[in-house]
Amino acid sequence: MDFKFGKKYIGDARKAFLIAEVAQAHDGSLGYAHSFIDAASEAGVDAVKFQAHFAQYESTLDEPFRVNFSYEDNSRYDYWQRMEFTKEQWVGLKDHAESKELEFLCTPFSSYAVDLLDDIGVVGWKIGSGDVGQKWLLEQIAQTRKPVIFSTGMSSIESVDSIYKYFKNKEIDFSILQCTSMYPTPLENTEIDVFLNYMQMYDVPIGLSNHSGTVWPAVYAIALGAKVIEVHIKLNDFSFGPDTSSSLSVEQLKTIVEAREAFSVIEDSKNQESLSLDSLNND
C-alpha cells in the first residue's frame, strides 16, 4: 500500500508525509518563492509545493477577477502572467528544495505546465480539487507513470470512485486527500467523517488537505492515521495574498511535525507492548 515519492515514502508503517503549500503566496517574486523553501525546511516538513500558472494557456485577456484582491492587476490574466516563472527559474526552485532535502511538488494547470514540470524532473504530481475532473489532465499525468496525490474538495463520491478506478487500472501509485474547498475552513467543516470513510473504502494512503489556518485538523488526522497532510504556509500574519488567513506559520508547522513524531513514538510503543503480550501469551 505504501509507495516511494522521490526519496521518501507515503503509506502504511510510514510517518505522515507533510506538504507545505506555497501556492501564490510568493506574489510573483522569485526571491520570496525561494524564501518559502527555506521556511518549509526550517519547519521540518517533507515537501514544498507550488503552482505552475501560465496565463496564455489557462486564461483570456479579458477574464475578470472573481474577487479582486490585487493592487496592480487589471484582470486575472494579468495576475497569472505576473505569477509566472520561466523554466530556468522553476529548475532553480526545484534544485533549492532538493538541496534542503525537500521533495519539490508543483501543481500544473495546463498541458504546457505538465510538459514543463515533467521535463525538469518532478518526482510526482499533486492535482488540486478543482481539476480532478479534467480528463485531459489525468490522461497526460498518467502517461508520465509518476505517483499522484489528489484532493477531493467539491467532488462527489462517484467522482472519487471514478478517479480511484482510473489510477488503479493504470497501475499508478496514488494517494487521496479529503479536502473542504473553503478558505479559511471552519473547524466544523473539516469533514473528518469523509476522511474516515475514505480510509474504509480505499486501499491507498489517505490524507487531509486543510485550509483552516489552525493546526488542529492536521494533528487530529495524523492521530487517526492520515498518511499525507497538506497545509498552506505563510511567512507571517501580514503576508500579502488571498491565502494568508488559511495558512500556517513556520511555528505552527513545527507543531504538526512535533505531533507526528510524538504519535510515531506512541505507536511504536503500542506495537512493542502488543509484541510483549503476544510473547507472554505464547509462553
Side-chain angles (χ1 to χ4, degrees), residues 83-142:
M83 293 300 104
E84 293 179 11
F85 293 133
T86 66
K87 182 177 181 179
E88 291 72 22
Q89 289 169 332
W90 280 120
V91 169
L93 290 167
K94 178 176 177 290
D95 288 347
H96 184 183
E98 291 175 349
S99 75
K100 295 289 185 176
E101 299 186 352
L102 293 168
E103 299 300 341
F104 174 83
L105 273 168
C106 192
T107 298
F109 289 86
S110 64
S111 178
Y112 175 81
V114 175
D115 286 340
L116 183 149
L117 294 170
D118 188 37
D119 193 47
I120 70 172
V122 291
V123 297
W125 303 100
K126 168 65 200 300
I127 303 175
S129 294
D131 286 319
V132 294
Q134 300 288 346
K135 185 177 179 181
W136 65 266
L137 180 63
L138 299 183
E139 290 177 347
Q140 189 173 358
I141 282 176

Side-chain angles (χ1 to χ4, degrees), residues 233-257:
I233 184 174
K234 61 184 175 184
L235 297 182
N236 59 62
D237 290 340
F238 297 98
S239 296
F240 176 76
D243 292 332
T244 299
S245 63
S246 308
S247 302
L248 302 183
S249 67
V250 171
E251 291 306 312
Q252 287 175 306
L253 280 171
K254 285 181 177 180
T255 297
I256 296 174
V257 173

Side-chain angles (χ1 to χ4, degrees), residues 32 56 91 94 112-113 119 135 142 152 160 190 217 228 271:
Y32 272 117
Q56 73 179 97
V91 169
K94 178 176 177 290
Y112 175 81
D119 193 47
K135 185 177 179 181
T152 61
V160 179
T190 303
V228 180
N271 291 337

